[in-house]
Amino acid sequence: MTKITSTMLADMRTRRESGDTVADIAARYNVKPMTVYQRFNRALGGTPLPGPANDNNPHRVTRMTARNGGCSTTSGKMPVTLVRIPSVDGVAVERVAA
């Protein structure tokens, strides 16, 4: 596995701008073409990598939900982030005495 340094990435970008194909660049650095595409995308401010499902937001909660037609096994579930509802999520609601 080859670690791509910032110097290597700059050289890759220069080669790409001069007309080299992504496959040629990948072969030169002993990486897969998809790796080159991903590094170009990330270095140029492309789509950021997804964050955690809950992101430690106190107003949201993570629940597991079925993603394959309602299968009840754990392998068929995925995390989703929902708005926190105090009465459902077991958080006590503070009431102010009148």
Side-chain angles (χ1 to χ4, degrees):
M1 186 166 100
T2 304
K3 182 175 180 177
I4 299 174
T5 64
S6 58
T7 307
M8 292 167 66
L9 184 59
D11 184 51
M12 287 179 180
R13 194 174 299 124
T14 304
R15 289 179 181 281
R16 182 67 175 145
E17 289 170 357
S18 68
D20 286 4
T21 65
V22 171
D24 292 339
I25 295 170
R28 177 177 174 82
Y29 289 100
N30 194 27
V31 295
K32 294 181 181 178
M34 184 54 71
T35 303
V36 176
Y37 279 119
Q38 289 172 344
R39 289 305 305 260
F40 283 163
N41 189 29
R42 207 175 311 157
L44 298 175
T47 307
L49 297 174
N54 190 0
D55 204 20
N56 297 323
N57 186 339
H59 303 292
R60 302 191 66 79
V61 64
T62 302
R63 296 280 184 241
M64 297 300 285
T65 185
R67 67 169 175 83
N68 59 353
C71 180
S72 62
T73 63
T74 306
S75 63
K77 295 189 174 192
M78 62 184 263
V80 294
T81 303
L82 306 168
V83 175
R84 184 179 296 275
I85 302 172
S87 60
V88 174
D89 295 325
V91 178
V93 179
E94 295 182 23
R95 297 186 184 222
V96 178

